[in-house]
Amino acid sequence: MIIFFKFLIFFAGACLGSFLNVVIYRIPIGMSVVTPRSKCPGCKKSIYWFENIPIVSYLFLKGKCSECDFKISIRYPLIELLCGVVTLVLFLQISSYSQVYFFLFQVSIALIFIALFFIDLDHKLLPDSLNLYLGATLLAYSSFEYSWKYMLMGLLIGGGFPLLITWLFYKLRGKIGLGGGDIKLWAALGIYLGPVDVVHNIFMSCLLGAVVGLSLIAAKIISKENAIPFGPFILVVATLQIFMPDLYAQLKALVV
Ligand SMILES: [Zn+2]
């Protein structure tokens, strides 16, 4: 019974992952996430519900459209799997049913992180709608724990500090350093992380971005002119800060 219940939680998470695939594909191109029904990009055939069962359908269809053999990206089932695993792991961390609200908030935050991560990788864009949704979720979540002063300071410093750096960089070099989406993401994260940890996030993600970016240039995977999206670095650091604070403290001790 308990195994079955865990499987149900995993499957619910995988279904959310299936919806997240739609969000990741549609939001950056301005499409509604509700209508119309998903179609095969190859032959425009509507996708039936039984072809849309997370992970299972991909395996059953052997990664191809049932009509025209159009190849379905392996990323779709992998995101479904990731969301299923994340939902189950977060569920296993709560010890009583009174903590269900805590679990629901954490799942929402994790899902928005995953959506932002892949949209930024694909389009170098962090949509305002998702940043706003994240900010609202973090505000509701934080209001259980923190004072409004803490949240407001986090928001202002999270948004204001990188804005100031960008402005200075622009004055000195005549170039825009950071994207508006990155700055709005920090502002949203600041609500929960607070004024101190959001500044940590700014430094740590810049450091991580520089290390990864320079390594990719050294390995000739990208050229100097290719800008890599910055959102994923902010999100990786924020994931450690919010979901794995002990690991984050150990990593921080190595750097600072
Ligand atoms: Zn097709």
Side-chain angles (χ1 to χ4, degrees):
M1 184 62 200
I2 288 173
I3 294 271
F4 179 70
F5 191 62
K6 284 179 186 167
F7 174 77
L8 270 186
I9 297 284
F10 168 82
F11 189 71
C15 289
L16 289 170
S18 182
F19 174 67
L20 217 59
N21 279 322
V22 177
V23 169
I24 292 166
Y25 181 76
R26 291 188 181 185
I27 289 215
I29 55 173
M31 274 176 79
S32 158
V33 294
V34 187
T35 53
R37 270 178 55 188
S38 296
K39 287 187 173 74
C40 162
C43 66
K44 309 288 176 224
K45 177 188 85 87
S46 284
I47 293 167
Y48 298 114
W49 66 267
F50 56 83
E51 293 174 322
N52 228 344
I53 302 166
I55 310 163
V56 179
S57 292
Y58 181 87
L59 297 175
F60 193 71
L61 294 166
K62 299 191 181 75
K64 283 183 281 187
C65 166
S66 59
E67 204 72 36
C68 71
D69 283 358
F70 186 89
K71 204 169 169 291
I72 307 164
S73 168
I74 183 91
R75 206 174 85 177
Y76 292 108
L78 289 181
I79 287 179
E80 290 160 357
L81 183 67
L82 174 69
C83 292
V85 170
V86 165
T87 306
L88 182 60
V89 167
L90 291 173
F91 180 75
L92 294 177
Q93 281 176 0
I94 60 170
S95 50
S96 75
Y97 286 104
S98 63
Q99 289 180 317
V100 166
Y101 82 90
F102 182 73
F103 162 70
L104 293 176
F105 272 123
Q106 289 213 321
V107 169
S108 311
I109 294 162
L111 293 180
I112 307 169
F113 275 17
I114 295 170
L116 285 170
F117 185 96
F118 285 102
I119 291 173
D120 205 18
L121 273 189
D122 289 348
H123 301 274
K124 290 185 186 156
L125 168 86
L126 296 166
D128 282 346
S129 55
L130 284 180
N131 272 336
L132 199 64
Y133 184 51
L134 178 68
T137 309
L138 288 172
L139 180 67
Y141 184 49
S142 310
S143 57
F144 285 96
E145 286 184 55
Y146 303 123
S147 71
W148 66 268
K149 272 186 193 160
Y150 170 94
M151 296 188 279
L152 185 66
M153 285 292 283
L155 172 82
L156 292 177
I157 290 177
F161 183 55
L163 195 65
L164 183 72
I165 296 173
T166 307
W167 182 77
L168 283 173
F169 192 73
Y170 182 72
K171 285 281 163 196
L172 290 170
R173 303 279 301 271
K175 275 195 271 183
I176 305 275
L178 288 161
D182 300 322
I183 296 173
K184 289 172 200 162
L185 176 58
W186 271 316
L189 289 170
I191 297 172
Y192 179 77
L193 292 176
V196 176
D197 280 3
V198 79
V199 173
H200 276 199
N201 183 297
I202 294 167
F203 280 113
M204 294 295 260
S205 51
C206 286
L207 188 66
L208 184 63
V211 169
V212 173
L214 291 174
S215 308
L216 290 175
I217 291 169
K220 295 198 165 57
I221 295 171
I222 57 166
S223 69
K224 255 186 196 166
E225 291 72 36
N226 279 133
I228 47 171
F230 194 66
F233 300 109
I234 304 174
L235 292 163
V236 166
V237 177
T239 300
L240 290 169
Q241 288 177 302
I242 297 175
F243 298 103
M244 298 167 222
D246 297 338
L247 179 63
Y248 179 72
Q250 284 172 9
L251 290 173
K252 204 171 68 182
L254 286 177
V255 178
V256 186

